[in-house]
Amino acid sequence: MSLKHAILVLLETEPSSGYDLVKHFKRSLGYFWNAKHQQVYQQLKKLTEDQWVTFQAHSQTDKPDKKVYEITALGKKELANWISQPVKANSINDALLVKLYGGHLAGKENLENELNTHIDIHQGTLKNLESIEQLYLSLDDDKKAHYLLPYMTLRRGIIGEKAWLEWAEEVKNTLKQADIKKAD
Amino acid sequence: MSLKHAILVLLETEPSSGYDLVKHFKRSLGYFWNAKHQQVYQQLKKLTEDQWVTFQAHSQTDKPDKKVYEITALGKKELANWISQPVKANSINDALLVKLYGGHLAGKENLENELNTHIDIHQGTLKNLESIEQLYLSLDDDKKAHYLLPYMTLRRGIIGEKAWLEWAEEVKNTLKQADIKKAD
DNA sequence: GTACGCATGTAAAGTGTTACATGATTCG
DNA sequence: CGAATCATGTAACACTTTACATGCGTAC
């Protein structure tokens, strides 16, 4: 329902190429909205058809040519409209939890290994987010005010990751003491 | 990648109709894997084609007839295989955060209203999860051991919702003091 | 010389949502 | 009399992932 709108939000701040957008998704926005490069290019095509964005081709000599997209008046209208509507509560689809739920089929060791792998990933993400937070906190007050809302989304990431890791520790300790028989 | 496998996990425990599965998704599993009834029926059709499940029609007089699905040997093999593979880390797509990120377009009041709506929803979910936890904790030790892994997934929900609410309070307080101008 | 960054895309398959469709029974 | 529960599905559309595809420049 809204990679299109996520792209519009980014383009509203500054015109960008598809590649720039992908980078942006990988960094800031990507912590709460994932998109592969293919999908970004697909949606840019559709956004162009909708006339919510336009682009200008920039030819470059030392690098590949690129298309720089910017939001149109129609796009701004659509974005304002989307922003004024309530968004639906987020729905979660977490395969790791399905696996844990059916963990008696996996066996204790398999579960523990898998959990450890995910703990590493989440710890890495948390460190990364915390280093971005340090950058934010070192800004002067003007800039801090300017980036306040994106910072709030960063806080969501940090609080969320900490909670995830807290939960994972609980599961690890529980598994240690538990007797999980591998069924069938 | 895996509504099919979530269904197999449920069918591995007991044969069920599509309707039963939907109920199951709405209750326990649904807190970390969402599925509408249409999708469950679609996937049951595909699972049948794959020969991972079979069904028997049960005609009932006072209620509509139903099809009771059960997992096949082939399905069990597939499930065991899926469970032994590592799952990918979960990717988040959260429209509320996109909106907050672009919140200067929405205006402070709009953001606050939206946040309050979501706080209500998350508080409701948390209460619900905590009441299920109370049920679990009142079981005798045998049953507790039996439902240990599903309980761990419930804990994920509880810890996750608490963290969400903690974050939301932080955002509320921050917004209260902040000066968000509605741009354009 | 190989890996990484820059830069763009198409095609097909898989997954999920929305709209449409039916119809009986039970509880308040 | 209306709403909820039981019970199943089709069709169209929207969104996401995976695989395939190209090619130059720069740094190690």
Side-chain angles (χ1 to χ4, degrees):
Chain A
M1 212 66 211
S2 155
L3 173 56
K4 277 186 179 180
H5 295 101
I7 291 173
L8 287 181
V9 166
L10 291 178
L11 290 181
E12 198 274 332
T13 309
E14 59 174 342
S16 320
S17 68
Y19 194 83
D20 293 336
L21 290 168
V22 171
K23 271 194 302 183
H24 219 120
F25 273 104
K26 278 194 188 140
R27 289 168 200 174
S28 58
L29 247 178
Y31 295 118
F32 50 91
W33 199 282
N34 283 277
K36 316 250 167 182
H37 83 269
Q38 293 94 331
Q39 207 189 343
V40 170
Y41 288 114
Q42 277 170 13
Q43 294 303 317
L44 282 172
K45 203 174 160 186
K46 287 193 181 171
L47 283 164
T48 307
E49 282 165 19
D50 294 336
Q51 302 196 23
W52 294 353
V53 304
T54 46
F55 67 87
Q56 283 196 300
H58 284 234
S59 41
Q60 300 178 116
T61 46
D62 53 334
K63 293 175 186 174
D65 295 352
K66 64 179 174 178
K67 293 179 184 171
V68 176
Y69 290 85
E70 59 184 312
I71 191 166
T72 63
L74 201 63
K76 278 185 191 174
K77 213 171 138 185
E78 169 57 31
L79 184 55
N81 181 52
W82 176 75
I83 284 241
S84 71
Q85 305 289 137
V87 299
K88 277 172 305 182
N90 212 30
S91 80
I92 296 156
N93 287 45
D94 188 333
L96 180 63
L97 291 178
V98 174
K99 193 165 173 175
L100 190 58
Y101 190 95
H104 58 284
L105 294 162
K108 191 167 165 173
E109 210 190 328
N110 185 320
L111 287 180
E112 283 173 337
N113 289 340
E114 180 101 37
L115 194 60
N116 284 330
T117 307
H118 286 262
I119 286 172
D120 286 348
I121 294 167
H122 285 272
Q123 262 165 356
T125 306
L126 178 59
K127 264 192 192 163
N128 191 2
L129 294 175
E130 282 178 332
S131 73
I132 298 171
E133 182 173 38
Q134 285 313 309
L135 280 180
Y136 173 81
L137 293 173
S138 69
L139 296 174
D140 61 48
D141 287 352
D142 264 17
K143 290 241 161 135
K144 263 190 206 151
H146 186 252
Y147 291 115
L148 185 63
L149 293 170
Y151 176 59
M152 287 294 99
T153 67
L154 181 69
R155 289 292 301 158
R156 172 69 197 123
I158 290 172
I159 291 172
E161 289 298 337
K162 279 185 180 165
W164 193 94
L165 288 163
E166 187 194 316
W167 169 76
E169 278 309 309
E170 194 179 301
V171 175
K172 256 179 105 163
N173 290 329
T174 306
L175 284 179
K176 213 178 284 174
Q177 294 156 28
D179 182 27
I180 313 284
K181 300 150 207 154
K182 188 167 172 187
D184 197 78
Chain B
M1 212 65 211
S2 156
L3 172 56
K4 276 186 178 178
H5 296 100
I7 291 173
L8 288 181
V9 166
L10 291 178
L11 290 180
E12 198 273 334
T13 309
E14 58 174 342
S16 319
S17 67
Y19 194 83
D20 294 336
L21 291 168
V22 171
K23 272 193 300 182
H24 219 119
F25 273 105
K26 279 195 187 137
R27 287 168 200 173
S28 59
L29 246 179
Y31 297 116
F32 50 91
W33 199 281
N34 283 276
K36 318 248 168 187
H37 83 270
Q38 292 94 330
Q39 207 190 344
V40 171
Y41 287 115
Q42 277 169 14
Q43 293 303 317
L44 281 172
K45 203 174 160 186
K46 286 193 181 169
L47 283 164
T48 307
E49 283 166 18
D50 295 335
Q51 302 195 22
W52 294 354
V53 305
T54 46
F55 68 87
Q56 281 197 301
H58 284 234
S59 40
Q60 299 178 115
T61 46
D62 53 335
K63 292 176 187 174
D65 295 352
K66 63 177 177 179
K67 294 179 184 171
V68 176
Y69 290 85
E70 60 184 309
I71 191 167
T72 62
L74 202 62
K76 278 187 191 173
K77 212 171 141 186
E78 169 57 32
L79 184 55
N81 182 52
W82 176 75
I83 284 239
S84 72
Q85 305 290 137
V87 297
K88 277 172 306 181
N90 214 30
S91 80
I92 296 155
N93 289 44
D94 189 333
L96 180 63
L97 291 178
V98 175
K99 193 165 173 176
L100 190 58
Y101 191 95
H104 59 284
L105 296 162
K108 192 166 163 173
E109 212 191 327
N110 185 320
L111 287 180
E112 282 172 337
N113 289 339
E114 179 102 36
L115 195 60
N116 284 330
T117 307
H118 285 262
I119 287 172
D120 286 348
I121 295 168
H122 284 272
Q123 261 164 358
T125 305
L126 178 58
K127 263 191 190 162
N128 189 2
L129 294 175
E130 283 177 333
S131 73
I132 298 171
E133 182 173 39
Q134 285 313 309
L135 279 180
Y136 173 81
L137 293 173
S138 68
L139 296 173
D140 61 48
D141 287 352
D142 264 16
K143 290 239 161 134
K144 264 191 207 152
H146 186 252
Y147 291 115
L148 185 63
L149 293 170
Y151 175 59
M152 287 294 101
T153 67
L154 180 69
R155 289 292 301 158
R156 171 71 197 119
I158 290 172
I159 291 172
E161 289 299 337
K162 279 185 180 167
W164 194 94
L165 288 163
E166 187 194 317
W167 168 78
E169 278 309 309
E170 194 179 301
V171 176
K172 258 179 102 162
N173 290 330
T174 306
L175 283 179
K176 212 178 286 173
Q177 294 157 27
D179 181 27
I180 312 284
K181 302 149 208 157
K182 189 169 172 187
D184 195 76

